[in-house]
Amino acid sequence: MTAQDAALPNCWAAAFAYAEKGQPVIPIYEPSGSGCSCAKRSSCEHAGKHPRWDAVLCPNGLDSATTNPELIRRMAARWPQANIAIRCDNLVVIDVDGDEGRAMWEQLTVEH
């Protein structure tokens, strides 16, 4: 990460850190006051949880995720406020949602 990169929003610093560790990143739409920052706005069923699209930078959804610092810089310049996602290849992800999810997680940790 360069000094110029340090001026980017914190999520992009995280993107560079993930990429440096070999974890591909991709910009995703961010939630907005009207639902999602994508064109669907309030009718978007995945607000803030789906990849941005661009014919050059992100033409293939999650398959456009990259560890290339120059490409990440170009993505950051295009979408400075974007959320960042990482591909979950070689990772175990535990997504605990809401009270029911937390209760299930607590139960599982006690049992195992």
Side-chain angles (χ1 to χ4, degrees), residues 37-98:
S37 59
C38 75
K40 292 182 180 179
R41 303 280 182 223
S42 62
S43 65
C44 179
E45 294 180 13
H46 305 287
K49 295 185 177 186
H50 56 101
R52 287 184 168 272
W53 184 88
D54 177 85
V56 174
L57 296 176
C58 302
N60 300 309
L62 289 177
D63 289 334
S64 296
T66 185
T67 59
N68 180 314
E70 185 52 38
L71 191 52
I72 295 170
R73 282 185 194 94
R74 290 175 59 199
M75 291 173 175
R78 173 87 191 268
W79 303 294
Q81 300 306 316
N83 280 344
I84 303 301
I86 60 172
R87 291 215 20 174
C88 296
D89 305 346
N90 303 313
L91 294 176
V92 173
V93 177
I94 299 171
D95 186 8
V96 178
D97 289 330

Side-chain angles (χ1 to χ4, degrees), residues 13-52:
F16 284 107
Y18 284 124
E20 287 172 7
K21 294 179 186 202
Q23 202 64 49
V25 299
I26 190 166
I28 61 174
Y29 288 97
E30 61 277 4
S32 71
S34 60
C36 188
S37 59
C38 75
K40 292 182 180 179
R41 303 280 182 223
S42 62
S43 65
C44 179
E45 294 180 13
H46 305 287
K49 295 185 177 186
H50 56 101
R52 287 184 168 272

